[in-house]
Amino acid sequence: MRVDLAGLSIPVGGVSGVDLHVEPGELVGLIGPNGSGKSTLLRSVYRALRPGDGTVRVGGDDVWRTLSARRSARRVAVVAQHSAEGFDLTVAEIVATGRTPHRAAPAADREIVARALERVGLTGTAHRLYATLSGGERQRTLLARALAQQGGVLILDEPTNHLDIAAQLDLLELVRSLGVTTLAALHELNLAAAYCDRVYVLAAGRVVACGPPARVLTPSLLGEVFGVRAHLGVNPLTGRPALTFAPLDTTGDPR
């Protein structure tokens, strides 16, 4: 399912005139400094923050003008940056909340929840309390909930925050393996470089560059947007793009 943003402006978050598209099955990353508008933009896609101008289309339909909240939730699932702790709910109960936008028979819902848990490798933890899980297991649970929602489009807002490196890699390997149209805000630039098909770079609420990571994440752009010296190379273990960083020199030259 395709996602299209055209002329999107959100005054409350400083986002202005953003054009963006995600092709079916792509993993597209949003990167930029803190406060650049990444989360604000995502919130407009999953219908949590109404834009002041422009359009958000998912599967060809305008999320705000054509689709109801329930119909939108059947198309767009989200793993948000700040998620509830889960209280005394089990993993299976958390995942089952993804079925809320649908009207299915209980048996069908249970089968969908079971399949979602299987896809993220958590079948054996279905009856554990969410609060007892590791950070990586919690993120997999929330991803399973999004899959149980059967939206066709997946929104991830800083999904690897507070995870150790192994859990970060496991989560993004899993996301890529799903083949679901995904738009993700990523704080860690090396993860964006390694896993995204394309990236959009935001600065002060505007898109300043977009395209494949190896073409976009140049030393000059990273120096201008993030205020660092950078080198873009190849990870010898994976063959994927890899970045190294250093502070800007005293002349401010990012090269």
Side-chain angles (χ1 to χ4, degrees):
M1 190 173 291
R2 182 181 166 105
V3 177
D4 291 285
L5 279 55
L8 191 72
S9 295
I10 310 170
V12 70
V15 171
S16 180
V18 169
D19 295 326
L20 177 152
H21 72 276
V22 187
E23 297 289 348
E26 270 193 315
L27 170 53
V28 169
L30 286 178
I31 62 174
N34 290 341
S36 60
K38 301 186 297 296
S39 294
T40 297
L41 188 152
L42 292 183
R43 291 178 68 198
S44 74
V45 179
Y46 62 85
R47 220 173 182 275
L49 183 61
R50 183 183 288 275
D53 198 11
T55 58
V56 179
R57 293 185 180 276
V58 176
D61 292 316
D62 191 309
V63 166
W64 289 97
R65 297 181 177 88
T66 304
L67 299 179
S68 66
R70 180 181 289 272
R71 289 180 63 200
S72 176
R74 291 175 181 170
R75 297 193 185 189
V76 181
V78 59
V79 177
Q81 187 172 157
H82 303 290
S83 299
E85 288 300 307
F87 303 103
D88 292 327
L89 296 178
T90 67
V91 169
E93 288 169 336
I94 291 283
V95 176
T97 63
R99 300 301 301 154
T100 302
H102 301 273
R103 295 187 179 94
D109 281 344
R110 286 194 295 272
E111 177 61 26
I112 290 167
V113 167
R115 289 202 303 268
L117 285 168
E118 182 179 9
R119 290 184 78 183
V120 303
L122 288 181
T123 299
T125 67
H127 300 296
R128 283 181 57 187
L129 291 177
Y130 179 78
T132 69
L133 302 180
S134 69
E137 289 170 330
R138 289 187 181 196
Q139 286 299 81
R140 283 176 175 260
T141 299
L142 299 178
L143 181 57
R145 180 179 66 181
L147 294 177
Q149 197 170 325
Q150 296 184 314
V153 171
L154 180 61
I155 303 295
L156 304 176
D157 192 357
E158 305 284 6
T160 58
N161 272 7
H162 312 301
L163 300 184
D164 62 37
I165 185 61
Q168 291 177 12
L169 298 176
D170 286 346
L171 183 70
L172 288 177
E173 289 284 353
L174 174 59
V175 169
R176 279 203 65 90
S177 74
L178 296 172
V180 177
T181 304
T182 302
L183 179 61
L186 294 168
H187 183 74
E188 172 53 59
L189 297 184
N190 263 311
L191 294 177
Y195 287 98
C196 292
D197 297 304
R198 292 184 298 114
V199 294
Y200 283 79
V201 184
L202 295 181
R206 294 180 178 273
V207 174
V208 296
C210 63
R215 179 166 62 83
V216 169
L217 301 179
T218 63
S220 59
L221 179 134
L222 294 171
E224 179 180 350
V225 173
F226 292 93
V228 296
R229 294 161 61 199
H231 171 75
L232 178 63
V234 176
N235 185 323
L237 300 177
T238 65
R240 296 171 179 172
L243 293 157
T244 52
F245 303 100
L248 283 175
D249 63 23
T250 55
T251 68
D253 185 352
R255 291 175 295 177

